Amino acid sequence: MSTGPGADSAPAPATHDSPPTPDSTSRSSMFSSLRIRNYRLFFLGQVVSNTGTWMQRIAQDWLVLSLTGSSAAVGITTALQFLPMLLFGLYGGVLVDRLPKRPALLATQTAMGLTGLALAFLTLSGHVQVWHVYLAAFAVGLATVVDNPARQSFVSEMVGPGQLQNAVSLNSANFQSARLVGPAVAGLLITGVGTGWAFLFNGLSFVAPIAGLLMMRARELHVVERAPRGKGQLREGLHYVASRPELIWPIVLVGFIGTFGFNFPVWLSAYADDVFHAGAGAYSLFNTLMALGSLAGALLAARRGTARLRVLIAAAVAFGALEVVAATAPSLWLFSLLMVPLGIFGLTVNVTANTSVQMATDPAMRGRVMALFMMVFMGGTPLGAPLVGWVTDAYGPRVGFALGGLVSLAAASGVGLALARIGGLRLSVAWHHGHPQVRFVPREQRERLATAA
């Protein structure tokens, strides 16, 4: 099977074994997109690869801490992995719009696999130094600049618009499942045989997604016209997003929540040590419960057939409000239980924003738009973490956590009002069967209701 440019750029017309159309798929099926062979291969490959990725994250941090004894060095490693996305993320989107997605993913997945194997060889041979880990983290970050928007965009080529939300949600469920399994397996390997074996597993895990990509049937991919090479494409992409409220406002909302509302490593460690004095066990419990909530949120999102902006706004409001409530929780067990709904609504915000932005984007622009989306979402947390960390250190974990929730709540409310105004909606407050009912209605409907009253 050819994997060159022509294999992805010119699929054959739809046949009886083409991916299901929106009308032929069941909205209520939680796993409906897995009926599509190409996506099923992609999904299974990601199950293995995501587990390896989480194993490497844990092993990488532990190795740096072991080599240097410095938490700051661990922070530098994380920063180096995110830095390429901040510096080159938009250019990666331009490149993805020009390239066929499947060959691009074959290249990036191979590069990340080789990086893991190189780190495994250096560690197992006893020659690893901290600068090797820094270099590997930066190399993975560079590959992610292309890999992230390519994977995001390729989902729609595999499943089409009718199954896009389901597929994006299952991808998130896949990632959250690996978040539960990967660190546990990594802990066993690190304790039993050393960090090098975790790197080795991660490097070998990329065989699965590479094999899945090679086994895909190009004729079953949905036709997407690639952007021709030309000047000003980065500026064109930014103008495209800025001129469309259905794109710019969800990205703005994700930017605020990613920067100020997703700093859980700062808050949860502070609550475990300084508020409840429960140590590392409580920190692990908080993260596990949040991961379970995120997994549940992903599966619930998979049942929804469409991504509505009102769901995005409602989930973001609930997320911010829950952070404020959790900040004031008086006991460890109440705080722990609140991690589950926080995970659910946080994941709902991510999946709904991701899907709504993809579905509202011209396929020829999708790489650039998703690169901007991921740059804002992933790049915001490293920028906001120092500020949130300073507030937490200066005024206490409760104030820091509440501040993150208030900013998220304010951003959700502001974006919701902006979208309502653009859509010609007005706030309607009325009584329905003896209960207050607050909702947005079209301007004309509100005027009719006022006249009737």
Side-chain angles (χ1 to χ4, degrees):
M1 179 185 66
S2 172
T3 59
D8 283 81
S9 59
T15 64
H16 65 279
D17 57 354
S18 295
T21 63
D23 294 334
S24 67
T25 54
S26 170
R27 174 178 173 173
S28 61
S29 175
M30 186 177 291
F31 304 101
S32 55
S33 56
L34 289 176
R35 299 170 187 161
I36 301 168
R37 180 181 183 275
N38 283 344
Y39 178 71
R40 189 164 60 248
L41 290 169
F42 177 85
F43 182 88
L44 293 174
Q46 291 300 309
V47 168
V48 180
S49 179
N50 284 336
T51 302
T53 297
W54 276 106
M55 290 175 64
Q56 174 143 330
R57 287 188 182 184
I58 300 300
Q60 177 179 275
D61 292 347
W62 187 260
L63 177 61
V64 170
L65 194 61
S66 301
L67 291 172
T68 65
S70 168
S71 296
V74 177
I76 291 172
T77 309
T78 303
L80 286 170
Q81 196 156 328
F82 281 101
L83 186 61
M85 180 63 74
L86 286 172
L87 295 178
F88 312 117
L90 292 176
Y91 295 99
V94 172
L95 189 61
V96 165
D97 279 337
R98 294 176 182 172
L99 296 173
K101 308 299 184 295
R102 190 157 55 111
L105 285 171
L106 282 168
T108 57
Q109 297 282 295
T110 300
M112 288 190 283
L114 291 175
T115 302
L117 292 175
L119 205 51
F121 172 77
L122 289 168
T123 307
L124 292 172
S125 65
H127 294 94
V128 70
Q129 299 179 36
V130 69
W131 71 267
H132 294 144
V133 187
Y134 288 165
L135 183 61
F138 189 74
V140 170
L142 282 175
T144 303
V145 167
V146 173
D147 185 79
N148 226 314
R151 276 189 297 109
Q152 299 286 335
S153 304
F154 191 50
V155 172
S156 64
E157 294 189 23
M158 288 184 287
V159 304
Q163 290 294 329
L164 183 58
Q165 169 146 342
N166 182 265
V168 170
S169 302
L170 289 181
N171 284 349
S172 297
N174 187 329
F175 186 77
Q176 296 302 328
S177 300
R179 181 181 171 188
L180 291 172
V181 176
V185 177
L188 292 174
L189 282 177
I190 292 170
T191 303
V193 291
T195 55
W197 293 96
F199 296 138
L200 180 62
F201 182 94
N202 179 56
L204 295 176
S205 74
F206 283 94
V207 172
I210 291 170
L213 289 165
L214 291 172
M215 293 169 63
M216 287 182 183
R217 296 170 181 164
R219 67 179 182 276
E220 294 181 11
L221 296 173
H222 291 254
V223 178
V224 173
E225 183 179 352
R226 298 201 303 272
R229 182 182 298 273
K231 294 182 178 180
Q233 289 182 321
L234 176 57
R235 185 170 60 252
E236 179 188 12
L238 293 173
H239 177 73
Y240 177 84
V241 172
S243 63
R244 286 165 172 76
E246 69 274 19
L247 297 179
I248 187 64
W249 286 114
I251 290 176
V252 167
L253 177 58
V254 163
F256 272 101
I257 290 180
T259 301
F260 298 101
F262 269 81
N263 292 289
F264 292 108
V266 175
W267 296 320
L268 299 187
S269 58
Y271 266 77
D273 283 342
D274 302 332
V275 177
F276 299 122
H277 308 290
Y283 180 59
S284 176
L285 175 65
F286 298 156
N287 280 283
T288 299
L289 290 173
M290 183 168 288
L292 287 171
S294 298
L295 177 59
L299 294 175
L300 289 172
R303 293 187 64 87
R304 291 193 294 271
T306 58
R308 300 182 183 276
L309 289 178
R310 65 170 177 256
V311 174
L312 170 62
I313 300 302
V317 168
F319 177 78
L322 278 167
E323 287 199 330
V324 175
V325 172
T328 63
S331 69
L332 183 147
W333 291 110
L334 178 58
F335 184 84
S336 299
L337 290 175
L338 286 170
M339 293 301 101
V340 176
L342 269 172
I344 291 173
F345 286 109
L347 199 285
T348 301
V349 170
N350 188 11
V351 168
T352 308
N354 185 311
T355 311
S356 64
V357 167
Q358 285 206 54
M359 295 185 71
T361 302
D362 187 308
M365 288 281 187
R366 193 166 282 143
R368 279 164 283 184
V369 173
M370 293 314 296
L372 177 62
F373 179 93
M374 296 308 299
M375 186 182 74
V376 168
F377 183 66
M378 294 175 62
T381 300
L383 293 176
L387 175 61
V388 170
W390 175 81
V391 172
T392 301
D393 285 340
Y395 300 100
R398 294 191 185 276
V399 174
F401 202 4
L403 176 64
L406 288 171
V407 172
S408 299
L409 185 59
S413 302
V415 169
L417 290 172
L419 287 171
R421 185 177 182 85
I422 291 167
L425 302 177
R426 293 293 182 269
L427 187 67
S428 171
V429 181
W431 286 87
H432 183 69
H433 297 303
H435 299 284
Q437 184 180 66
V438 181
R439 57 177 178 162
F440 285 104
V441 299
R443 185 198 308 264
E444 297 80 4
Q445 182 178 343
R446 185 187 181 193
E447 290 173 352
R448 287 198 302 271
L449 291 171
T451 303

